[in-house]
Amino acid sequence: MKIRKKILFFTPSDVGGAERVTLTIAKMLPRSEYEVKIIFVFDKVVDLKKFVPQWMLTIHIKIRNIWDFVSWRMYCLIKREHPYAVFSSLHYLNPRTILSARMAGVKNIIIRNNTGWSAWRPDIKMLAWLTYGNASAIVLQSDEMKSELQKVFPHLASLMRMIPNPIDTEIISERLKNSKNPFIEGTINFVYCGRVHPIKGLDTLIIAFANVQRTNANLRLTIVGDYSKNLKYYRMLQSLISNKHLEECIDFVGFQDNPYPYMKYADCFVLPSRREGNPNVLHEAMWLQVPVVATRSVPIVDRIVTPGRGHVVDVDDVKALGYAMIKTLKMKIVQPYHYEGNNSFVGLFK
């Protein structure tokens, strides 16, 4: 009987882009060759677990915060599990994964950076300086992220791999089976999916939508993503909506474990971010052949959003964003999006 290689995937349990990428990569590995375990490192196991297949084993390392003896807890788990390899996909968890795995004697340590070096906190940069040389592979999402990290760690260039984010086309197709249009008949719908956070530029989107909505009273904006009514930024957005008299036109639907009907049936998907690593949700929208409008929050956006798929505008350019939203509604045929990045990840574990 063939012995399967055990891989531990470490992740928080939020439903962010990096967390979803971790699950997608884990699901790609052939079950006949690999025994995959998802290790949640968080105080609670919440939303992300809804995306974990039933056949995939999970373990919960319960912590109060990232300084709660995380490395020691991870070390104890790794020592007990004796994995062939470990994987982590968030820059603040990566150094702890490397340290605990090396202490436990694991040689195959694969890390993936979810943001560029310039966006990291000083303490994370220090930990990376101390640990990254002990990784066996460092995955970057774009050529720009790879070039930036090579300037910081030129001696680690041979460990770096540029692999775009994978798309979980299987789960998208599965969750769209028998799906219904969530929008009111006769309305024209813009959709945003993601966090409700200042870095996502939703204030810019709301102002742009207010300008566009004056041209057609049937326009609606749906914001899909987790939020708290006590969040200062959310309250600011609500005040902005009230000032623009858009209460009946903008809908916050909160976290959705199946956001894909909102994307599939949208007339336009909008990503107004101020900064991104490699926006997963934009890849997903284009794979669904939905017209998109996105900001130049990361250089890759200009390369993947061709004129046949939508429009790209500068960050925080309200006028250009609104104009692009209007132009995109006139698109009749959307160019198919063929994604080639998935197979590259499987090779990392061989």
Side-chain angles (χ1 to χ4, degrees):
M1 182 177 180
K2 185 177 180 180
I3 299 176
R4 296 186 299 164
K5 296 176 180 178
K6 183 186 292 184
I7 316 290
L8 302 184
F9 286 81
F10 289 91
T11 179
S13 60
D14 290 333
V15 188
E19 293 87 348
R20 288 286 308 281
V21 165
T22 301
L23 278 188
T24 301
I25 295 169
K27 289 168 61 179
M28 280 189 237
L29 298 182
R31 293 166 65 181
S32 60
E33 298 180 37
Y34 299 95
E35 178 188 354
V36 170
K37 290 188 177 183
I38 304 297
I39 317 300
F40 292 113
V41 185
F42 212 61
D43 57 343
K44 298 178 181 178
V45 177
V46 282
D47 298 329
L48 188 64
K49 197 165 186 178
K50 298 175 183 177
F51 290 87
V52 179
Q54 291 184 351
W55 57 265
M56 194 175 284
L57 299 174
T58 62
I59 300 174
H60 182 200
I61 298 178
K62 188 174 183 179
I63 62 171
R64 289 169 293 182
N65 55 58
I66 197 62
W67 300 104
D68 187 15
F69 300 100
V70 173
S71 297
W72 173 252
R73 293 167 187 250
M74 292 170 67
Y75 161 77
C76 293
L77 174 66
I78 294 170
K79 195 72 174 175
R80 185 179 75 237
E81 291 288 331
H82 297 292
Y84 166 76
V86 298
F87 179 92
S88 172
S89 193
L90 283 95
H91 62 283
Y92 66 81
L93 195 57
N94 289 344
R96 295 164 173 87
T97 302
I98 295 171
L99 176 61
S100 56
R102 279 300 181 201
M103 288 172 56
V106 178
K107 295 181 179 180
N108 300 306
I109 305 171
I110 302 168
I111 60 172
R112 171 189 167 274
N113 287 341
N114 58 309
T115 59
W117 173 265
S118 59
W120 298 7
R121 298 195 319 250
D123 60 318
I124 303 299
K125 290 181 177 180
M126 180 189 70
L127 290 172
W129 269 106
L130 295 172
T131 60
Y132 267 41
N134 288 298
S136 53
I138 303 170
V139 178
L140 292 311
Q141 305 171 42
S142 67
D143 290 323
E144 290 78 17
M145 288 179 67
K146 183 178 178 181
S147 297
E148 183 183 32
L149 201 67
Q150 282 180 335
K151 292 177 182 177
V152 181
F153 300 111
H155 59 295
L156 301 180
S158 62
L159 302 180
M160 298 181 192
R161 310 282 187 273
M162 198 294 287
I163 306 178
N165 288 349
I167 300 176
D168 194 342
T169 56
E170 180 182 325
I171 198 169
I172 295 174
S173 299
E174 176 187 316
R175 298 199 172 191
L176 283 175
K177 286 181 181 177
N178 304 317
S179 66
K180 297 180 180 179
N181 189 336
F183 303 117
I184 299 172
E185 186 177 354
T187 58
I188 301 170
N189 293 277
F190 295 98
V191 168
Y192 161 86
C193 289
R195 289 185 296 156
V196 178
H197 188 279
I199 203 171
K200 295 298 186 177
L202 288 172
D203 48 309
T204 302
L205 173 57
I206 289 171
I207 296 171
F209 176 76
N211 297 334
V212 174
Q213 205 268 343
R214 295 192 192 104
T215 67
N216 190 330
N218 286 327
L219 298 181
R220 298 289 185 273
L221 170 62
T222 300
I223 296 172
V224 182
D226 192 24
Y227 67 90
S228 167
K229 291 184 178 179
N230 296 322
L231 186 69
K232 182 179 179 180
Y233 185 61
Y234 173 77
R235 295 199 302 269
M236 184 273 281
L237 295 178
Q238 288 297 329
S239 177
L240 186 59
I241 290 169
S242 178
N243 291 337
K244 298 289 185 180
H245 307 291
L246 296 172
E247 294 91 337
E248 301 300 319
C249 305
I250 297 179
D251 189 17
F252 286 77
V253 298
F255 168 77
Q256 301 288 319
D257 58 7
N258 184 14
Y260 301 112
Y262 289 95
M263 297 169 65
K264 175 181 173 61
Y265 292 102
D267 295 283
C268 176
F269 179 85
V270 189
L271 189 69
S273 302
R274 296 185 167 101
R275 188 174 71 236
E276 289 281 352
N278 190 333
N280 303 326
V281 71
L282 190 61
H283 291 288
E284 292 174 338
M286 290 191 296
W287 186 78
L288 288 170
Q289 291 188 257
V290 179
V292 302
V293 173
T295 53
R296 292 185 171 91
S297 54
V298 63
I300 195 174
V301 171
D302 270 306
R303 296 197 294 270
I304 62 176
V305 182
T306 61
R309 299 184 183 120
H311 301 281
V312 181
V313 301
D314 289 336
V315 171
D316 284 333
D317 190 334
V318 172
K319 185 175 180 180
L321 183 62
Y323 182 57
M325 291 164 69
I326 292 173
K327 286 199 301 181
T328 304
L329 289 179
K330 299 177 182 179
M331 294 180 65
K332 301 297 183 184
I333 300 175
V334 178
Q335 181 183 4
Y337 182 55
H338 300 291
Y339 188 76
E340 305 294 340
N342 287 18
N343 291 334
S344 299
F345 278 103
V346 177
L348 287 173
F349 295 90
K350 291 189 178 296

